[in-house]
């Protein structure tokens, strides 16, 4: 009875445990990009959820930026990111006239990553991020500043969908190897300056 286990263990090798890891990827998107992904009556996001088997949630709110959270096995998350990247490219091409579509406008995804993990992503003297850029051909930029009221930074990845997907895979590999240190305060784009001032006044008033 022990033989099937032994066989699966040798074939899977060290890669095996990765499949059972649950990965959560947060992306910052503009209203127009969110519209592309949701689609008419939510059909596009429904299709991406079904085909990738990842859980996809989009933050509520009428602010210009919203957070799209993708959760699932690493494979499911990468499938979802891939579908999102191709959908954005398709809509970019459609909006830029036929002449531009042939040139493939680059797609940009903005990942939201805890600042404590950005150091590993950049690497010593920028070695890791340079390696990711060179091996994937995508542009990768880690924001110097934290996103407002959070301990997270935006990591912008741009290129054609194929290069973006390879790049996101490598970024996720780094993130999985170096968990965030300390508590992470997630970024919420809905907190406009008005809201912050209002809550600050309430705090002052009650004191």
């Amino acid at each position: 009875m022990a033989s099937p286990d032994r066989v699966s263990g040798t074939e899977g090798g060290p890669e095996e445990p990765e499949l059972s890891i649950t990965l959560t990827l947060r992306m910052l998107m503009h209203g127009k990009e969110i519209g592309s992904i949701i689609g008419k009556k939510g059909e596009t996001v429904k299709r991406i959820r079904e085909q990738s088997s990842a859980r996809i949630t989009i933050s509520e709110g009428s602010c210009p930026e919203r957070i799209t959270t993708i959760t699932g096995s690493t494979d499911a998350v990468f499938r979802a990111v891939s579908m999102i990247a191709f959908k954005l490219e398709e809509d970019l091409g459609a909006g830029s006239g036929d002449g531009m579509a042939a040139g493939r406008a680059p797609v940009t995804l903005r990942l939201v990553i805890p600042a404590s993990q950005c150091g590993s992503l950049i690497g010593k003297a920028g070695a890791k991020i340079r390696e990711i850029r060179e091996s994937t051909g995508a542009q990768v930029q880690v924001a110097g500043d934290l996103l407002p009221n959070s301990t997270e930074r935006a990591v912008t990845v741009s290129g054609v969908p194929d290069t973006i997907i390879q790049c996101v895979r490598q970024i996720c590999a780094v993130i999985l190897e170096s968990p965030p240190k300390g508590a992470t305060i997630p970024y919420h784009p809905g907190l406009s300056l008005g809201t912050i001032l209002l809550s600050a006044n309430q705090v002052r008033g009650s004191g």
Side-chain angles (χ1 to χ4, degrees):
M1 283 299 286
S3 61
D5 289 340
R6 206 163 55 241
V7 170
S8 68
T10 50
E11 276 182 15
E15 294 297 307
E16 198 90 327
E18 281 233 344
L19 301 173
S20 60
I21 290 173
T22 299
L23 178 64
T24 298
L25 202 58
R26 283 154 51 79
M27 296 195 290
L28 190 55
M29 293 190 158
H30 290 301
K32 197 175 166 193
E33 296 166 332
I34 292 284
S36 285
I37 288 161
I38 293 174
K40 283 189 185 128
K41 296 182 185 166
E43 280 167 15
T44 307
V45 75
K46 185 170 172 245
R47 192 184 78 237
I48 296 173
R49 280 183 185 126
E50 284 168 0
Q51 292 182 7
S52 68
S53 60
R55 210 171 137 249
I56 301 169
T57 54
I58 295 163
S59 67
E60 291 299 318
S62 54
C63 47
E65 294 183 318
R66 285 155 81 179
I67 297 272
T68 300
T69 306
I70 306 168
T71 308
S73 67
T74 46
D75 271 4
V77 169
F78 296 143
R79 272 199 300 274
V81 169
S82 166
M83 291 175 76
I84 287 170
F86 279 108
K87 182 72 182 101
L88 292 177
E89 187 199 42
E90 186 188 307
D91 289 358
L92 268 173
S96 59
D98 294 348
M100 284 291 286
R104 294 189 80 173
V107 174
T108 300
L109 294 180
R110 284 179 302 159
L111 310 179
V112 180
I113 293 171
S116 59
Q117 291 175 299
C118 288
S120 308
L121 185 56
I122 294 165
K124 276 192 183 142
K128 187 67 193 171
I129 200 162
R130 195 163 56 242
E131 180 196 311
I132 293 174
R133 282 184 191 128
E134 286 168 4
S135 65
T136 63
Q139 293 292 318
V140 191
Q141 230 86 44
V142 177
D145 297 327
L146 295 173
L147 288 158
N149 310 304
S150 77
T151 56
E152 295 188 307
R153 289 189 194 182
V155 176
T156 309
V157 179
S158 55
V160 294
D162 302 320
T163 61
I164 284 183
I165 294 146
Q166 283 177 35
C167 186
V168 169
R169 275 178 182 273
Q170 293 204 25
I171 289 171
C172 289
V174 174
I175 291 170
L176 291 170
E177 280 167 21
S178 54
K181 298 170 189 71
T184 298
I185 303 168
Y187 172 57
H188 295 292
L191 290 172
S192 65
L193 193 57
T195 323
I196 295 157
L197 289 175
L198 196 70
S199 54
N201 286 342
Q202 284 167 347
V203 170
R204 249 202 316 273
S206 62

